[in-house]
Amino acid sequence: MAQIACVGLSTVQRIEQGADADYQENIVENLANILCDNDHERAYMSALAGNPTAALADVAAVGDIASLLEYVSPVPAAYLVNWKIAAANEQYRELMPGLSVADSLPHWMFLDGRSKLVMPDWQKLAADTVGSLRYSLVTADGHGAAADIVGDLIPRPEFRRIWESWIVHAQRPASATRRIWSPSMEQMVTLREALIPTASGLLVVDFPT
């Protein structure tokens, strides 16, 4: 088994014994792919390796969140998971054209020209996003979604310039006022964006002011 998973036998034995160690995420994932039949067993494997995840019952299903977002219409709202929009209501999709199908929020900001059209304060928001991304990269030990995003965008001069400024934000403001050019209304609107944490992501709600 250890050979198939490309994991040292001693590492497997330490996990079985519950020994304290800093196991790399890919090691646990390789073992889980071989041994685990469902999400419950994967969660148990992760806990054995010293990385307990949220209980399955605590993680909201994307379908349930999508239904919730429709109920808050006409207020624009979305569900952000690992920097990617997992669900959004129609009002949010109209407000942020292209974001709901982008690889991630940073990808949209730096690769989709529409982000600059709808965000007159794009420069500040881009810096805030890169600063938060830098902090996420550190807290994830250089792995996961943040690492993939940085790897994709670092060749882009505009992203690299901000990244190399070493700006960092430990967290985005829980609530912030921002100006958005509404393509559907053809006018500038001011919204108060609230970020509501859940076990697996963030609810993003843009309240009118």
Side-chain angles (χ1 to χ4, degrees):
M1 178 190 68
Q3 185 176 4
I4 296 174
C6 300
V7 177
L9 180 59
S10 60
T11 299
V12 175
Q13 292 172 337
R14 289 199 303 273
I15 292 176
E16 290 175 337
Q17 296 164 3
D20 291 336
D22 184 15
Y23 301 106
Q24 293 183 1
E25 184 178 348
N26 66 308
I27 290 177
V28 180
E29 184 176 352
N30 287 346
L31 287 171
N33 288 337
I34 294 173
L35 297 174
C36 301
D37 294 327
N38 54 54
D39 289 340
H40 298 276
E41 293 179 357
R42 286 180 175 274
Y44 177 69
M45 174 68 74
S46 182
L48 277 178
N51 299 303
T53 58
L56 296 179
D58 294 337
V59 180
V62 173
D64 291 337
I65 294 293
S67 297
L68 174 64
L69 298 180
E70 295 303 327
Y71 274 103
V72 302
S73 298
V75 176
Y79 185 41
L80 186 69
V81 179
N82 290 330
W83 293 94
K84 180 179 175 65
I85 298 295
N89 61 17
E90 181 179 354
Q91 288 75 20
Y92 191 89
R93 292 193 297 270
E94 290 180 353
L95 191 68
M96 303 291 186
L99 177 53
S100 62
V101 296
D103 289 340
S104 72
L105 171 60
H107 280 93
W108 178 74
M109 292 200 69
F110 286 93
L111 302 183
D112 192 326
R114 289 172 292 184
S115 66
K116 293 181 179 180
L117 293 177
V118 300
M119 294 179 171
D121 303 314
W122 181 91
Q123 190 66 42
K124 179 185 183 305
L125 295 173
D128 290 346
T129 298
V130 172
S132 297
L133 192 62
R134 180 184 297 280
Y135 185 78
S136 295
L137 184 65
V138 172
T139 57
D141 293 327
H143 301 287
D148 293 338
I149 293 169
V150 173
D152 284 348
L153 295 180
I154 200 66
R156 304 283 177 166
E158 200 161 29
F159 177 87
R160 187 170 63 250
R161 175 181 58 80
I162 300 176
W163 181 261
E164 291 178 349
S165 71
W166 287 93
I167 188 169
V168 62
H169 290 291
Q171 64 182 36
R172 294 177 64 192
S175 180
T177 300
R178 61 173 54 186
R179 296 184 302 147
I180 300 291
W181 171 260
S182 171
S184 60
M185 299 172 62
E186 296 188 344
Q187 66 179 28
M188 196 75 69
V189 296
T190 302
L191 302 170
R192 180 175 62 83
E193 184 175 83
L195 303 178
I196 305 169
T198 71
S200 54
L202 287 173
L203 281 175
V204 183
V205 184
D206 289 320
F207 296 103
T209 60

